[in-house]
Amino acid sequence: MVRMKNQIQSIAEKYSNDRTRLMDIFWDIQDLHGYIPHKALRVLEESLDISTADLRETLSFYHFFHESPSGKFNIYLNKDVASQLKGHEAIYAAFETECNCKFGSVCMDGTFGLFETPCIGLSDQEPAALINLVPFTNLTPQKVKDIVAALRAGKELAALVEQYGYGDGANQQIKTMVCSNIRQLGPVFGEKISTGEGLAQSLKSTPEQVIEEVKTAGLRGRGGAGFGTGMKWSFCRAAKGSTKYVVCNADEGEPGTFKDRIVMTEYPEQLFEGMAIAGYAIGAQQGILYLRAEYKYMQDYLEGKLKDLRAKNILGQNVLGKSGFNFDIRIQFGAGAYVCGEESALIESMEGKRGTPRVKPPFPVEVGYLGCPTVINNVETLAALPYILKNGGSWYKGFGTEKTPGTKLLSVSGDCEKPGVYEIEFGMTVREFLAMVGAKDAYAVQVSGPSGECINAQQSLDRKLCHEDLSAGGSMIIFNKDRDLLKYMRYFMTFFVEESCGICVPCRAGNIVMRNNLDKIRAGHANQEDLDNIFAWGQIVADTSRCGLGATSRNPIVSSFKNFPDLYKKLLDEKTNPLYDASFNLEASVEDFDRALKEQNQIGRNVHA
Amino acid sequence: MPKITFKIDGKQCTAEDGQNLVEAAADNHVYIPTLCHMKGEKCLGTCRVCMVKVNGKDMAGCTLSVSEGMEVTFDTPELNDKRKALIEMLFVERNHFCPSCEKSGRCDLQALAYRFKMHIPRFRYRYPFFEVYSKVDKLMLEHNRCILCQRCVEFIRDPDTNRKIFSMRNRTNKSMIQVDYRLANKMSEEQIDKAVAICPVGAIIKKGQGFDEAYGQRKYDQHPIGYEVDGGTNSK
């Protein structure tokens, strides 16, 4: 006990007993103990001067933190759509059989913990799982069997990574199975650029000129919302305060998105250089990369890159000889929460709190991290900056469309021949897109993830990927004709239900009522009114929610109905739906109870066996 | 403080520049219902019942500061239906059984349901299971009635350390208020009374005290909610 107390105290001291570093403190404790014991909270209570209840508030919010003993190997299987399209069910069953425990629990001897998690950014190589946050891709039931057997036999986890995706394992800091799968580069990321060129160019100008250049380029946020980057910067530059921050939002959690993963492994220098450019433009000395825990496998690699950049004076004091411009970057990990991609929730998380979106105004550009003006930009946005500053804003504006200049990285997954990352110019048509990725019988495309739009592929061939038509945030999941589309829409609704932070009523309670009605429709017990209600209630949820999650959570149903009305209509009619029965269904009504009873019997048998 | 003028549904109002909209409206005898906002306190923005329209956009009234010339739309069938829907969502989300509740007649949620003439919620009741937390010496947490407004989380602190006594646990619909057991046991009578009073529903209950006001004499038996602001001129 004394030993543990000392351990926890020294962890807290490592972060200067600063409660805003609670995320790091929890990660360090969990790395040490496998979970965060109650006793540790009692020590932190005094070290950080906050109550246990307050500590639990943060701890219980993030799904990668464990409050009770977890497995020696914690297996997080991706349950998202891209995984379902590639055989998730068989992998799920294989893990349960091989580990001899159910998902959501730890096996008897404590070796394995099985958990499910939404999209882990590997949609192009599903089914995939994280084992103690080490990615295992392209799983098959046989591979699952081999992995579990090897771990059980005492083999090191790292030794199981036998095939290397990135860089053939030549880099000592990143030996991973994850492949970059870059299928096509365009005029921006395809250009060879030497590290520091864009920053050096920027430092010859005034910060105001840099902002002007970015405005000229017409660069808009690549996270999905598409806010003007130059405008955001000018607000932040104008905001009062001597300390300002640049934050890179690397919490890409929109199901189906993985392009930031590629930027971070293939273009880390450009990303960090872009952050330095942003720092120079707004007058910040500190940059923070908020990295999702799913990408923890990149930690050593990215830290190594930061070290290299410091050695080259691209980071550090008097950057590239520019007297008075000091800039450095640190990495902050999240711990599993989609909503932290919302910028004010991300700031809350960086401050060691629950990832709850803040009440706005004030906006982060005025009151952000630690109360200071903060610019938060997406990974792809920042990584494009060195190219823009080197070649000029009007060069960049020459690509794409009038209102959406530039290029975009798309993460393509699902039913196509060539999943992976593509750099396209905005304005590409859906027809061109489908041909490019080898989607021969595409039925639907989920554009920009569940918060985006589910389009009817064949009816949308001439639609254009750009903000003025079909807004492309990065995620493109393709479904062919054989897929039960509404099953995936149902998953997306569950995703929003489970990822709602719970702070505001409409999102917390309203997503569930929409999903309930969708269930009723799929089960054949609904009538037109149930369908109409989804739209009416969805409108209320969208209008009254605090942040973008609630504002877009109805989109899977609304857009799939708009583009595939017949899918819904035929479920509402007894002539077209053999299961249609609007009356009370006893069997379905007691299904939960039946299942619980069966499981209980099963547990009883296992215990006695 | 300089005075400014603004409009609510066309009615000319005056307020201090930058004053909170819900409070400024109240000073002008317009009652904007809310379950989380407390006068003079930090905005919580959790219940969303105070929805208004400004520049054609729906906004939570408690998050807004009034400014010169601002035009606020408040009392429309559409907005009232949204408010009512939010109240109904709260009713189905947990187990609100007014006849057995100590807070009945003094409960803001119940009073707003009357104000919005809620009969049966449009949403299906979920009947989730919650245990009453009664380990603290002098108070109970009745999770069945909690609306997660966060008032207790934000406005009740340990006086010696300023640490949180109440906090949120989990996320999504699994969110729950929890207490710090040791700090809660240190709470003074006055602080417990304050916690019970600021709870808009009957989720924080003082042990040994319950149905102490007779029917007909309870707070909202006297006047409906919002009466002290609008004098009963508007029933919504």
Side-chain angles (χ1 to χ4, degrees):
Chain A
M1 179 62 207
V2 175
R3 187 162 152 260
M4 185 196 221
K5 188 174 174 186
N6 291 339
Q7 281 172 346
I8 306 295
Q9 278 174 341
S10 57
I11 289 173
E13 274 160 24
K14 183 177 153 195
Y15 298 101
S16 316
N17 290 324
D18 180 358
R19 79 140 292 168
T20 68
R21 300 300 296 275
L22 193 54
M23 296 294 280
D24 306 274
I25 294 171
F26 279 155
W27 271 119
D28 282 9
I29 297 173
Q30 184 156 297
D31 287 344
L32 197 66
H33 291 281
Y35 73 112
I36 293 146
H38 176 66
K39 282 175 188 160
L41 300 184
R42 297 292 284 271
V43 180
L44 287 182
E45 179 171 33
E46 295 313 317
S47 297
L48 307 181
D49 191 20
I50 54 174
S51 64
T52 312
D54 209 341
L55 290 162
R56 279 196 198 285
E57 210 172 58
T58 300
L59 180 57
S60 63
F61 187 84
Y62 298 94
H63 75 247
F64 283 122
F65 288 146
H66 294 275
E67 290 184 72
S68 53
S70 54
K72 185 177 166 205
F73 299 104
N74 288 314
I75 299 169
Y76 284 91
L77 176 64
N78 179 13
K79 63 174 172 181
D80 221 282
V81 165
S83 176
Q84 293 173 34
L85 293 173
K86 301 289 172 191
H88 161 270
E89 242 172 274
I91 306 303
Y92 182 98
F95 270 120
E96 288 200 333
T97 311
E98 300 305 324
C99 299
N100 198 18
C101 71
K102 295 269 172 204
F103 269 91
S105 70
V106 179
C107 74
M108 290 286 227
D109 64 4
T111 312
F112 299 105
L114 291 184
F115 306 95
E116 286 193 283
T117 188
C119 187
I120 55 179
L122 296 169
S123 299
D124 53 339
Q125 38 214 303
E126 292 292 346
L130 300 171
I131 307 183
N132 288 356
L133 298 179
V134 175
F136 286 82
T137 59
N138 295 315
L139 292 171
T140 59
Q142 184 59 42
K143 281 187 192 172
V144 168
K145 201 172 174 182
D146 297 345
I147 290 167
V148 173
L151 291 174
R152 217 187 272 285
K155 213 167 173 198
E156 288 282 321
L157 187 60
L160 297 181
V161 181
E162 287 164 344
Q163 287 172 320
Y164 299 118
Y166 171 75
D168 294 330
N171 189 319
Q172 288 304 315
Q173 290 160 332
I174 187 162
K175 288 188 176 298
T176 179
M177 293 171 82
V178 178
C179 295
S180 291
N181 284 337
I182 298 178
R183 300 281 183 177
Q184 175 183 302
L185 287 175
V188 177
F189 289 99
E191 187 192 328
K192 287 271 176 277
I193 186 172
S194 49
T195 307
E197 246 184 294
L199 179 59
Q201 194 63 37
S202 309
L203 296 177
K204 285 183 200 154
S205 322
T206 64
E208 288 80 4
Q209 285 167 331
V210 173
I211 294 177
E212 272 317 303
E213 205 62 45
V214 173
K215 281 186 182 168
T216 305
L219 180 64
R220 295 168 66 162
R222 295 294 190 249
F227 194 82
T229 305
M231 200 193 293
K232 196 186 246 186
W233 288 7
S234 55
F235 289 151
C236 192
R237 177 154 191 88
K240 287 194 192 95
S242 53
T243 307
K244 293 177 185 178
Y245 293 95
V246 172
V247 174
C248 172
N249 182 348
D251 193 49
E252 66 171 344
E254 192 69 39
T257 315
F258 51 86
K259 45 112 189 154
D260 292 348
R261 181 193 90 214
I262 277 83
V263 173
M264 284 186 284
T265 39
E266 303 286 345
Y267 300 91
E269 291 91 355
Q270 284 69 31
L271 166 62
F272 293 139
E273 189 185 333
M275 287 175 75
I277 293 169
Y280 178 68
I282 66 160
Q285 300 202 338
Q286 175 75 56
I288 302 168
L289 175 74
Y290 183 93
L291 188 55
R292 66 191 308 223
E294 288 84 343
Y295 293 164
K296 227 168 188 249
Y297 72 95
M298 292 180 197
Q299 182 169 15
D300 292 345
Y301 173 74
L302 292 175
E303 296 282 7
K305 291 291 176 192
L306 287 174
K307 214 171 139 194
D308 294 347
L309 293 175
R310 284 181 201 117
K312 289 182 185 159
N313 194 221
I314 285 167
L315 297 175
Q317 301 289 311
N318 303 318
V319 169
L320 294 179
K322 180 83 177 182
S323 167
F325 176 51
N326 309 325
F327 191 79
D328 211 332
I329 296 170
R330 75 170 174 90
I331 300 175
Q332 170 73 63
F333 279 99
Y338 166 74
V339 71
C340 288
E342 198 277 347
E343 57 180 22
S344 65
L346 186 145
I347 291 174
E348 288 283 299
S349 179
M350 290 206 306
E351 293 179 356
K353 293 181 271 181
R354 297 164 69 78
T356 301
R358 290 178 175 174
V359 170
K360 283 167 271 188
F363 290 91
V365 286
E366 288 179 326
V367 183
Y369 180 56
L370 305 178
C372 303
T374 305
V375 150
I376 301 167
N377 285 139
N378 174 262
V379 172
E380 187 187 344
T381 316
L382 289 162
L385 290 167
Y387 302 94
I388 294 172
L389 271 299
K390 184 201 158 204
N391 297 311
S394 22
W395 166 80
Y396 190 79
K397 197 168 168 51
F399 308 117
T401 67
E402 176 72 28
K403 285 184 181 148
T404 324
T407 66
K408 180 83 193 87
L409 297 176
L410 298 179
S411 322
V412 181
S413 64
D415 297 320
C416 65
E417 285 164 7
K418 292 177 280 183
V421 164
Y422 295 77
E423 183 184 5
I424 61 146
E425 282 191 49
F426 277 112
M428 176 183 260
T429 62
V430 172
R431 186 192 310 274
E432 290 162 339
F433 166 77
L434 294 173
M436 175 178 77
V437 303
K440 294 208 173 100
D441 56 351
Y443 175 57
V445 184
Q446 188 71 33
V447 181
S448 302
S451 66
E453 189 178 344
C454 180
I455 60 164
N456 184 321
Q458 300 311 320
Q459 290 174 9
S460 311
L461 294 170
D462 295 319
R463 288 190 70 182
K464 287 182 174 151
L465 299 170
C466 55
H467 285 296
E468 51 271 41
D469 185 1
L470 194 51
S471 188
S475 171
M476 305 289 276
I477 307 173
I478 300 157
F479 301 93
N480 69 25
K481 284 186 202 68
D482 305 327
R483 305 294 185 179
D484 174 4
L485 200 57
L486 298 193
K487 175 181 143 188
Y488 304 107
M489 297 305 125
R490 202 268 176 194
Y491 168 79
F492 286 146
M493 290 312 294
T494 301
F495 173 78
F496 287 127
V497 166
E498 291 177 353
E499 295 299 325
S500 164
C501 78
I503 191 91
C504 75
V505 178
C507 179
R508 183 180 70 228
N511 294 337
I512 297 179
V513 298
M514 280 189 271
R515 187 185 61 179
N516 286 348
N517 272 27
L518 179 60
D519 283 346
K520 204 173 165 186
I521 292 169
R522 290 186 65 222
H525 300 309
N527 54 30
Q528 185 61 38
E529 193 186 347
D530 293 304
L531 183 60
D532 295 343
N533 280 340
I534 296 187
F535 303 121
W537 302 345
Q539 186 68 46
I540 293 172
V541 172
D543 290 344
T544 61
S545 286
R546 186 192 275 199
C547 80
L549 198 157
T552 55
S553 62
R554 65 185 167 139
N555 289 4
I557 303 179
V558 170
S559 68
S560 62
F561 176 74
K562 185 177 137 207
N563 298 316
F564 301 93
D566 293 347
L567 284 183
Y568 287 86
K569 282 177 186 155
K570 78 174 185 205
L571 288 171
L572 297 181
D573 188 344
E574 57 191 319
K575 285 190 216 88
T576 46
N577 180 5
L579 296 172
Y580 187 80
D581 176 11
S583 64
F584 179 69
N585 181 330
L586 180 66
E587 218 159 288
S589 303
V590 298
E591 190 199 58
D592 285 357
F593 182 75
D594 265 3
R595 199 175 52 234
L597 207 64
K598 270 182 207 146
E599 274 170 20
Q600 207 170 21
N601 288 340
Q602 190 61 41
I603 291 164
R605 271 202 291 282
N606 288 348
V607 169
H608 291 117
Chain B
M1 266 299 202
K3 288 272 179 191
I4 55 106
T5 60
F6 71 107
K7 280 183 183 168
I8 301 178
D9 295 330
K11 174 187 158 152
Q12 198 73 28
C13 301
T14 57
E16 283 172 12
D17 194 10
Q19 199 181 349
N20 179 287
L21 173 64
V22 172
E23 294 170 20
D27 290 347
N28 290 278
H29 308 293
V30 176
Y31 174 65
I32 299 181
T34 156
L35 287 165
C36 64
H37 186 72
M38 289 184 70
K39 192 177 176 185
E41 297 282 8
K42 171 185 144 180
C43 161
L44 299 175
T46 59
C47 78
R48 321 301 287 178
V49 173
C50 61
M51 292 312 287
V52 295
K53 250 189 182 25
V54 177
N55 293 328
K57 196 172 181 306
D58 284 4
M59 313 274 270
C62 71
T63 65
L64 297 172
S65 306
V66 292
S67 55
E68 181 62 45
M70 190 172 177
E71 296 202 11
V72 180
T73 309
F74 160 67
D75 185 11
T76 65
E78 183 208 340
L79 282 167
N80 286 321
D81 183 59
K82 280 179 186 162
R83 283 187 263 276
K84 191 176 174 188
L86 291 166
I87 290 163
E88 292 174 9
M89 281 183 202
L90 285 170
F91 267 92
V92 302
E93 181 182 47
R94 301 243 169 151
N95 304 304
H96 294 275
F97 190 62
C98 299
S100 75
C101 180
E102 295 88 336
K103 207 67 176 268
S104 189
R106 300 174 293 160
C107 167
D108 291 355
L109 181 67
Q110 180 193 38
L112 283 183
Y114 278 124
R115 188 176 176 104
F116 286 97
K117 300 184 172 60
M118 182 189 98
H119 294 288
I120 297 164
R122 69 195 77 176
F123 314 109
R124 200 171 74 193
Y125 281 104
R126 293 226 302 276
Y127 302 115
F129 177 80
F130 286 102
E131 274 179 13
V132 178
Y133 180 85
S134 59
K135 293 201 179 99
V136 179
D137 292 347
K138 293 177 190 154
L139 61 80
M140 294 191 298
L141 279 188
E142 208 343 343
H143 294 295
N144 289 293
R145 304 167 184 164
C146 181
I147 60 167
L148 303 167
C149 69
Q150 307 256 357
R151 280 184 181 178
C152 58
V153 174
E154 293 297 331
F155 306 136
I156 306 282
R157 298 278 175 144
D158 178 57
D160 300 329
T161 60
N162 199 36
R163 292 178 188 170
K164 272 185 191 173
I165 301 175
F166 295 86
S167 74
M168 276 274 262
R169 183 178 179 74
N170 306 332
R171 65 178 187 212
T172 72
N173 61 317
K174 297 187 177 72
S175 300
M176 281 170 81
I177 296 295
Q178 61 184 346
V179 292
D180 192 294
Y181 173 77
R182 285 167 306 153
L183 293 181
N185 270 346
K186 271 175 57 192
M187 286 170 79
S188 66
E189 290 290 325
E190 294 74 39
Q191 200 178 25
I192 291 173
D193 289 342
K194 184 186 169 192
V196 172
I198 68 170
C199 181
V201 289
I204 301 175
I205 295 293
K206 192 177 180 180
K207 284 185 181 172
Q209 192 180 312
F211 304 88
D212 35 344
E213 283 166 327
Y215 282 17
Q217 289 166 23
R218 301 167 306 178
K219 184 177 174 189
Y220 297 126
D221 291 336
Q222 317 286 329
H223 295 293
I225 193 166
Y227 182 86
E228 70 284 5
V229 173
D230 65 17
T233 51
N234 186 338
S235 64
K236 291 205 190 76

